[in-house]
Amino acid sequence: MTLPSLPSTVVPLRNRPAWAALTDHFTKIRTIHLRQLFADDSERSKRFTTETLGLYFDYSKNRITAETISLLIELAEQSGLRHHIDAMFAGEKINITEQRAVLHVALRAPKSEQISVDGTDVVPEVHAVLDKMAQFAEQVRSGAWKGHTGKRIRNVINIGIGGSDLGPVMAYEALKYYSQRDLTFRFISNVDGTDFVEATRDLDAEETLFVVCSKTFTTLETMTNAHTARDWMLKAVSDEKAVARHFVAVSTNRVKVEEFGIDSANMFGFWDWVGGRYSMDSAIGLSTMISIGPEQFSRMLSGFHAMDEHFRTAPFERNLPVLMGLLVVWYNGFFDAQTVAVLPYEQYLKRFPAYLQQLTMESNGKHVTLDGNQVDYQTGPIYWGEPGTNGQHSFYQLIHQGTKLIPCDFIAFGQALNSLGNHHDLLLANVFAQAEALAFGRTAEEVRAAGTPEWLVPHRTFEGNRPSTTILAERLTPETLGKLIALYEHSVFTQGTVWQIDSFDQWGVELGKVLAEKIVPELEKADEPSLKHDSSTNALIRQYRQLRRAKD
Ligand code: G6Q
């Protein structure tokens, strides 16, 4: 089969001339300290800072020189990145293992644009769904949408998992400042019954609306929770007709939605060219739109779109997602860095690292190339993080003085949404101090000069040379959030293109699902089942059956 997305000239990563040149370059640069790089070049901060779309992107505290960047850009070019970007925007089926187009960029395209999949312009369909969402959101927000017994809806519960949950939760938290405060939002994802019970225990069913989000409408966790929700609702309002007023669905599967009993008039659609982890700005964002309103939602989409256009058109040396993605390739491929820490100094972004974990790791956690060959290099790093300053009092110790190299992304804002005394100055002083300490450390001489006894000097020395990038924006707004998410989406795309993997499939999620389906009847069976797993799994199943009996 021919690969639709890559030019035939793309050769395996290690055979690309730029990779060989980078390997050479790395041996020269690997021991150079950031202290020296800054001392040698008074213009360094300016040289390695790009300001675009209101984002000040300072990557000067990375272990790079101008040569590193130009070699990485050559690598991107030799990897077919330009062609691959164009292929995505043109609706080509670049998700080759699922034979699907990858068009989350169409979700935020303005009405005036045309983006075609198989000859059909999808932009009008996108806007038709956005309009329908807006109408519904306004009805809920204004109180015009009533529950079955005539009470106003006060609680909105999103039921979904993975891509149908993480985006909505993150966006709700991130944009809470802009939310309608007389509505309560909850999110149920886990099949662990506790998630459902705790989310609903203090709510009045008559005032509750469930938004069931599932692209396939077959996902075990979501369907189980949705059925439990229906039972919970019908226990309070014993009339099947209540389902129509208290349940709406977001899905691509009309048949299954109707089978569940949700009126397809209350279904908001999306398309198979939207991957779950890229879907928070599709109808999957319905709860977000109810929370912040259609106008702010559309500002968020403008932010996404601005970054899409920047990614599509800016030269690589000034292209934020390209630079960000190439830095990951650099540390991952040459410094053996296994992780990237994302550290937002903004409490509202507390779920942003968790959201990015799925976006990055489900996308680039792959071990074969597009043509099915085992990679002989590292692919997707582990993303993780917590908001600052909390992390400073927890895991930052390891980043400062541990044995692992952990590139960090610091994210901060010039203006606080909740201005309170000098809190914001203190917050920002901390983010700047952390990046400074990581880069420059504290030498043994400096520690000695501060009067530290000799035996304590090694413990108090910070070797520094720990890389970080700082992203500074004016204020966390829906638009800025859109830009930040698209920045990471396209950084993931850049990485995946260099590694020549399919960043848009997720076969790794499948096996566990299939095996779980096989185990369910073995747990539920009244008589002792005959088990044919390995000895460990067999024993665990038996042990569970026994423990469960002990409770009965
Ligand atoms: C994301 C994945 C995955 C998916 C969930 C939920 O890219 O495909 O996280 O979003 O498994 O799937 P449904 O939306 O089909 O329930």
Side-chain angles (χ1 to χ4, degrees):
M1 177 183 135
T2 52
L3 303 177
S5 63
L6 291 172
S8 54
T9 48
V10 172
V11 294
L13 180 60
R14 286 182 184 284
N15 299 345
R16 285 172 226 159
W19 187 265
L22 279 162
T23 309
D24 227 34
H25 171 69
F26 173 67
T27 58
K28 292 181 204 128
I29 198 182
R30 64 186 306 173
T31 53
I32 302 182
H33 202 287
L34 280 165
R35 279 197 285 261
Q36 191 185 328
L37 292 173
F38 272 87
D40 289 352
D41 179 4
S42 58
E43 299 283 285
R44 185 174 171 86
S45 147
K46 209 156 115 200
R47 196 179 309 287
F48 297 112
T49 296
T50 295
E51 204 170 350
T52 194
L53 306 177
L55 301 182
Y56 181 91
F57 184 86
D58 174 0
Y59 59 109
S60 62
K61 293 195 187 81
N62 281 287
R63 292 170 66 173
I64 51 166
T65 61
E67 192 185 354
T68 322
I69 293 297
S70 81
L71 289 174
L72 284 169
I73 287 172
E74 272 177 42
L75 179 68
E77 275 154 7
Q78 289 166 18
S79 307
L81 180 60
R82 173 58 55 209
H83 172 86
H84 206 207
I85 293 173
D86 292 344
M88 171 169 74
F89 280 84
E92 282 183 35
K93 297 197 170 145
I94 61 166
N95 174 358
I96 64 148
T97 72
E98 296 181 313
Q99 277 296 290
R100 284 178 179 165
V102 174
L103 271 184
H104 40 280
V105 293
L107 298 170
R108 49 262 193 159
K111 269 188 182 143
S112 53
E113 275 191 19
Q114 281 190 357
I115 300 180
S116 297
V117 181
D118 294 329
T120 307
D121 179 11
V122 296
V123 178
E125 296 174 49
V126 166
H127 282 272
V129 174
L130 283 171
D131 290 347
K132 184 174 168 182
M133 287 165 66
Q135 233 180 7
F136 181 73
E138 286 298 17
Q139 280 185 292
V140 177
R141 288 165 63 84
S142 67
W145 184 276
K146 300 272 188 292
H148 182 66
T149 56
K151 285 195 183 173
R152 185 182 171 161
I153 294 298
R154 302 216 172 264
N155 318 308
V156 178
I157 303 188
N158 190 87
I159 297 183
I161 196 163
S164 299
D165 167 70
L166 287 158
V169 183
M170 181 276 289
Y172 169 67
E173 292 294 344
L175 301 176
K176 205 181 225 170
Y177 179 80
Y178 303 89
S179 69
Q180 185 166 318
R181 299 293 181 145
D182 62 355
L183 290 170
T184 296
F185 289 83
R186 303 264 164 92
F187 299 85
I188 300 175
S189 54
N190 201 334
V191 76
D192 182 336
T194 295
D195 207 11
F196 185 90
V197 169
E198 288 295 340
T200 52
R201 66 181 318 134
D202 56 345
L203 302 186
D204 178 353
E206 293 175 49
E207 298 180 341
T208 301
L209 173 78
F210 289 98
V211 180
V212 185
C213 283
S214 175
K215 182 172 168 181
T216 54
F217 232 70
T218 55
T219 305
L220 172 98
E221 291 89 338
T222 302
M223 288 304 106
T224 306
N225 279 319
H227 279 102
T228 302
R230 191 167 59 180
D231 294 347
W232 179 79
M233 179 61 60
L234 293 179
K235 207 167 145 206
V237 187
S238 11
D239 184 350
E240 279 282 344
K241 289 202 199 92
V243 174
R245 302 301 300 170
H246 293 270
F247 286 81
V248 296
V250 179
S251 184
T252 56
N253 193 339
R254 182 171 298 271
V255 175
K256 291 277 175 203
V257 168
E258 283 172 353
E259 262 173 39
F260 181 86
I262 296 178
D263 185 347
S264 58
N266 298 336
M267 170 179 156
F268 300 84
F270 61 117
W271 307 269
D272 71 359
W273 41 261
V274 184
R277 55 194 175 276
Y278 295 88
S279 68
M280 58 157 290
D281 47 355
S282 70
I284 292 290
L286 182 60
S287 61
T288 315
M289 197 193 266
I290 299 174
S291 157
I292 61 172
E295 207 170 300
Q296 297 285 18
F297 193 87
S298 116
R299 289 197 184 129
M300 181 180 81
L301 296 185
S302 314
F304 272 101
H305 180 66
M307 186 57 76
D308 294 343
E309 281 306 285
H310 169 74
F311 181 53
R312 192 176 66 81
T313 59
F316 289 168
E317 53 275 17
R318 278 187 279 116
N319 194 311
L320 261 47
V322 171
L323 291 169
M324 190 184 231
L326 289 175
L327 286 170
V328 173
V329 169
W330 173 236
Y331 290 118
N332 196 57
F334 294 96
F335 287 84
D336 278 335
Q338 298 291 310
T339 82
V340 176
V342 181
L343 308 162
Y345 277 63
E346 168 54 71
Q347 184 64 17
Y348 284 124
L349 288 182
K350 65 180 180 192
R351 294 286 299 182
F352 194 55
Y355 171 78
L356 289 184
Q357 287 194 316
Q358 183 193 26
L359 177 68
T360 59
M361 300 207 274
E362 204 165 57
S363 296
N364 284 342
K366 310 290 162 64
H367 75 297
V368 292
T369 57
L370 289 164
D371 47 13
N373 291 313
Q374 176 85 29
V375 296
D376 55 359
Y377 43 83
Q378 288 287 314
T379 62
I382 299 157
Y383 275 73
W384 60 288
E386 279 288 322
T389 56
N390 298 12
Q392 290 174 211
H393 299 267
S394 147
F395 53 78
Y396 277 40
Q397 166 63 37
L398 187 147
I399 308 181
H400 280 290
Q401 287 190 308
T403 54
K404 295 176 174 56
L405 185 83
I406 303 178
C408 300
D409 291 349
F410 290 106
I411 302 172
F413 298 88
Q415 294 170 17
L417 289 172
N418 298 299
S419 189
L420 205 59
N422 67 343
H423 282 236
H424 201 64
D425 287 347
L426 296 180
L427 180 69
L428 272 281
N430 271 283
V431 68
F432 300 146
Q434 289 300 320
E436 189 178 24
L438 285 169
F440 304 108
R442 207 168 180 222
T443 62
E445 293 68 46
E446 286 165 343
V447 174
R448 269 187 209 106
T452 308
E454 197 54 34
W455 65 271
L456 208 46
V457 169
H459 298 278
R460 301 193 65 175
T461 299
F462 285 59
E463 72 188 5
N465 218 11
R466 319 241 158 169
S468 70
T469 301
T470 303
I471 303 168
L472 201 54
E474 188 177 84
R475 192 176 162 84
L476 177 58
T477 61
E479 201 171 359
T480 313
L481 181 70
K483 287 176 196 165
L484 283 174
I485 298 166
L487 169 63
Y488 279 93
E489 285 177 349
H490 299 318
S491 162
V492 163
F493 183 95
T494 301
Q495 297 162 36
T497 304
V498 172
W499 295 323
Q500 258 194 297
I501 54 180
D502 191 333
S503 300
F504 302 100
D505 62 12
Q506 57 282 313
W507 299 105
V509 185
E510 294 302 313
L511 180 60
K513 281 193 197 173
V514 173
L515 295 183
E517 270 168 36
K518 210 171 140 208
I519 293 174
V520 171
E522 294 170 345
L523 302 184
E524 289 178 342
K525 205 164 186 276
D527 322 324
E528 208 53 40
S530 88
L531 298 173
K532 297 201 172 56
H533 305 272
D534 60 279
S535 59
S536 159
T537 310
N538 287 344
L540 285 166
I541 292 172
R542 288 199 190 97
Q543 186 70 12
Y544 169 68
R545 288 176 61 94
Q546 214 174 336
L547 288 169
R548 193 183 50 185
R549 259 198 304 275
K551 179 193 146 212
D552 301 338

